[in-house]
Amino acid sequence: MRKAVNDLLGAYDKIIMDPVHGGIPLYRHEIQVIDHPLFQRLRNICQNDILSLVFPGATHSRFLHSVGVMHVGGRMFRAMIDAYLRERQLSEQVDLTLSQLDAIDYLAKTIRLGCLLHDSGHSSFSHQFTQARRIHELMAQPGRFEQLWEGADYRAYFRAPPEELEHEHYSVRVAHDILTSIDLEAAGLYVQDVMGIMETTEVTPSEAFSRHAHTFWEFIAGEDSEAGRLRRADIPALVMNMLSSIVSGEIDADRADYMLRDGFHSSVTIGGFNLDHLLSNLRFGWDTRTPWLGLAITHKGLGALEDFVYSRHQMYRKVYAHKTALGFDWLLREAINEALEDPEIFDWVNTCLSDMQYFADLTDSFFWEAFRRIARRRPASYSRCIVDRVKLRHLDTRENLEPDEIGAHRHWLARELQLPPADVVTCTMRAKFSRIGANFDGIQVLVRDPVSRRRSLRRITDVSAFFGKFGDGTITHFYLRPQDVTEATGNTG
């Protein structure tokens, strides 16, 4: 019967060759999504802003990452289905009905699309773009959300306009345009179900999703004597939340792909984790009392999960928060602010951020050209620092400082080095791990009684002391502001 599941989920139409995962198969409707101009723009957006100035191989795109997340998300779901069938077949003959096969197929395809589109709203230089002061001000303008959705109805996805736009809101907007432009229903899928598993949305699932959710729940929990305690009306939301955790959770397809991909292209092998080992130990977990439905890890798979978390922790410390890399991030944000001083560039970026007809023009290439023009006219500029790879002089590094402590240390450095305080600049990266140690409700440990074979769930920190070692932390680097830029612009703020 597992072969029947694989056959049903394996009717692909094309293969993309990926340096990290190898051949990634695609369905026809996924090809239509990928071929859309709003998705193709991701080819021109680097996954790690300008990390390649420090790790030269890190030139990979958001496009490849998005396709990789789709592949990993599909593998996660199928691995859990496969493990469930394998374990049940040890004690009984399992024959799936057509409705069960149809439900598995529907949920798997929904997950893949949610993963594929999860980052579709990223603009130039990914996260650094929205952190630039002038871009943040543009995105926070009153009425920006309504401008973005002019001509389209957002009420199926949002109860009310968000107070402030983030890249996730743009991903929802992009996904809406892409999914409504293709014949998704020909694939037996519905737009609202894909949108419902993306971040920031609140969606009422389709009738088809609700039907498949009930079938899926009966399939995985039918032998649980307490499964009937759940209200039928609660099941679709629980299933949708479980799918969402595969797209964006503590152990999700996004993190699994970017850690493997960023490590591969950066030629960094810090920590490392085995994706196959991790996936083979993932299971469906549920608690009808809470109620909760999500991911669980087998007790023997804790080692794979520990490797995953440690690898992520080390990538943050040694790659993403590298002192030279964060220095270039600071320069990049200042260069973006500098470019927006040009009224023509400002007006065009403002238009792109408010009108989906032009949003596809916001790529890395647009700003690289702007930086080059500014660098030619003004050698003493942040843009020239980016174009010619002029890095900041690193002064010091401190960990876990509070904001007032950062300010105090900045002034101390300036005093000791006999510099104006404004010439010492800082860049801070926060690594968020507290949910792993203190409030990890996204994944639990599945334990089976060796005699009764009954399954029970335990908090991850109750089973392994390893995860209690991680908490939120910050790394703050202190730099000397480029003197020629400061003198030329008079920027002492």
Side-chain angles (χ1 to χ4, degrees):
M1 187 53 67
R2 276 184 285 140
K3 182 178 185 301
V5 174
N6 288 332
D7 288 345
L8 181 66
L9 300 177
Y12 299 106
D13 296 280
K14 190 176 183 178
I15 289 180
I16 284 182
M17 297 308 298
D18 175 64
V20 174
H21 301 296
I24 296 179
L26 302 171
Y27 292 109
R28 184 173 292 107
H29 61 275
E30 294 166 349
I31 298 170
Q32 293 172 341
V33 168
I34 290 171
D35 284 344
H36 194 283
L38 282 172
F39 194 88
Q40 285 292 312
R41 63 182 282 277
L42 297 177
R43 291 181 182 272
N44 299 308
I45 296 175
C46 195
Q47 167 74 7
N48 298 118
D49 49 79
I50 53 173
L51 187 66
S52 61
L53 294 184
V54 182
F55 300 93
T59 58
H60 51 299
S61 67
R62 284 276 160 186
F63 177 91
L64 259 183
H65 167 62
S66 298
V67 174
V69 175
M70 175 198 70
H71 179 64
V72 174
R75 284 191 62 193
M76 287 177 70
F77 185 73
R78 289 178 60 173
M80 290 187 287
I81 291 288
D82 191 64
Y84 179 81
L85 290 172
R86 184 174 61 250
E87 290 171 356
R88 283 192 62 182
Q89 285 178 328
L90 292 176
S91 58
E92 60 182 294
Q93 183 64 35
V94 180
D95 290 317
L96 297 183
T97 65
L98 288 177
S99 62
Q100 290 172 333
L101 287 168
D102 196 28
I104 293 169
D105 183 57
Y106 189 91
L107 299 181
K109 288 176 177 175
T110 299
I111 288 170
R112 284 173 60 94
L113 279 179
C115 289
L116 183 62
L117 292 164
H118 83 288
D119 267 353
S120 57
H122 268 297
S123 297
S124 311
F125 303 115
S126 298
H127 291 286
Q128 295 307 315
F129 180 78
T130 55
Q131 293 181 31
R133 173 180 52 81
R134 301 198 66 169
I135 295 297
H136 181 80
E137 291 170 355
L138 277 177
M139 292 175 63
Q141 284 185 356
R144 176 68 69 189
F145 181 81
E146 288 81 1
Q147 289 176 338
L148 191 64
W149 282 90
E150 186 174 352
D153 190 356
Y154 64 79
R155 291 172 298 179
Y157 317 131
F158 301 97
R159 293 181 182 176
E163 294 183 2
E164 191 170 307
L165 288 181
E166 302 288 350
H167 79 269
E168 290 89 352
H169 297 109
Y170 279 89
S171 292
V172 173
R173 184 67 181 90
V174 168
H176 171 83
D177 266 21
I178 293 177
L179 293 176
T180 55
S181 71
I182 67 174
D183 189 5
L184 197 60
E185 291 192 19
L189 302 171
Y190 293 90
V191 173
Q192 65 263 43
D193 299 335
V194 179
M195 305 292 273
I197 65 173
M198 296 181 69
E199 288 186 272
T200 74
T201 61
E202 295 181 81
V203 171
T204 300
S206 70
E207 185 278 331
F209 184 95
S210 297
R211 183 177 70 254
H212 291 314
H214 285 112
T215 300
F216 173 76
W217 172 248
E218 293 166 1
F219 164 62
I220 64 167
E223 62 180 9
D224 188 330
S225 60
E226 297 186 350
R229 293 177 56 175
L230 276 184
R231 293 193 315 141
R232 284 186 58 82
D234 293 337
I235 291 173
L238 285 173
V239 173
M240 185 161 278
N241 288 338
M242 184 270 292
L243 302 189
S244 297
S245 70
I246 294 176
V247 179
S248 179
E250 283 301 308
I251 308 298
D252 59 18
D254 179 31
R255 287 190 174 97
D257 181 82
Y258 78 60
M259 286 196 299
L260 291 174
R261 192 171 302 279
D262 294 353
F264 174 85
H265 287 284
S266 302
S267 299
V268 173
T269 55
I270 298 170
F273 74 98
N274 187 314
L275 179 62
D276 292 334
H277 188 202
L278 180 64
L279 297 187
S280 69
N281 284 285
L282 287 180
R283 301 291 188 271
F284 299 112
W286 62 84
D287 185 341
T288 57
R289 296 166 298 180
T290 312
W292 175 81
L293 173 64
L295 306 187
I297 188 82
T298 65
H299 193 275
K300 71 174 183 178
L302 279 175
L305 185 58
E306 290 170 358
D307 288 344
F308 179 91
V309 173
Y310 181 70
S311 176
R312 179 182 157 209
H313 182 262
Q314 289 294 81
M315 284 292 289
Y316 269 98
R317 293 183 60 85
K318 306 300 183 183
V319 178
Y320 306 133
H322 188 284
K323 66 180 189 298
T324 308
L326 283 193
F328 275 120
D329 285 346
W330 187 91
L331 286 168
L332 175 61
R333 293 193 294 272
E334 291 301 313
I336 292 172
N337 292 331
E338 186 176 67
L340 266 67
E341 292 172 2
D342 182 325
E344 184 177 347
I345 293 177
F346 180 89
D347 290 342
W348 180 243
V349 172
N350 186 33
T351 297
C352 293
L353 286 172
S354 58
D355 191 332
M356 292 306 296
Q357 182 179 351
Y358 305 107
F359 184 70
D361 286 349
L362 282 181
T363 63
D364 294 2
S365 303
F366 174 84
F367 277 97
W368 274 112
E369 289 305 312
F371 296 159
R372 292 187 182 98
R373 288 197 302 271
I374 294 170
R376 285 195 296 268
R377 296 196 310 264
R378 294 162 47 191
S381 62
Y382 294 114
S383 294
R384 187 188 70 82
C385 293
I386 296 297
V387 171
D388 291 345
R389 197 185 177 275
V390 179
K391 62 183 180 180
L392 293 177
R393 177 187 164 192
H394 180 254
L395 300 176
D396 197 11
T397 297
R398 287 289 185 271
E399 295 191 23
N400 300 325
L401 294 182
E402 296 296 329
D404 58 334
E405 294 175 315
I406 293 174
H409 190 66
R410 178 170 161 260
H411 280 80
W412 179 84
L413 282 172
R415 187 169 59 253
E416 292 295 309
L417 298 172
Q418 298 182 340
L419 296 169
D423 283 358
V424 178
V425 298
T426 66
C427 198
T428 298
M429 174 167 282
R430 175 177 293 275
K432 298 179 180 179
F433 289 94
S434 60
R435 290 191 65 200
I436 295 173
N439 187 30
F440 204 126
D441 58 0
I443 186 168
Q444 298 189 36
V445 181
L446 180 65
V447 179
R448 285 188 182 273
D449 185 280
V451 179
S452 67
R453 304 297 296 168
R454 287 183 60 83
R455 50 192 284 156
S456 62
L457 294 171
R458 296 182 61 186
R459 287 178 58 85
I460 201 165
T461 48
D462 292 340
V463 179
S464 171
F466 175 86
F467 298 96
K469 301 175 182 178
F470 296 91
D472 291 355
T474 60
I475 297 176
T476 302
H477 297 300
F478 297 81
Y479 307 92
L480 177 64
R481 184 192 296 272
Q483 296 303 293
D484 56 344
V485 177
T486 301
E487 294 164 2
T489 63
N491 185 353
T492 60

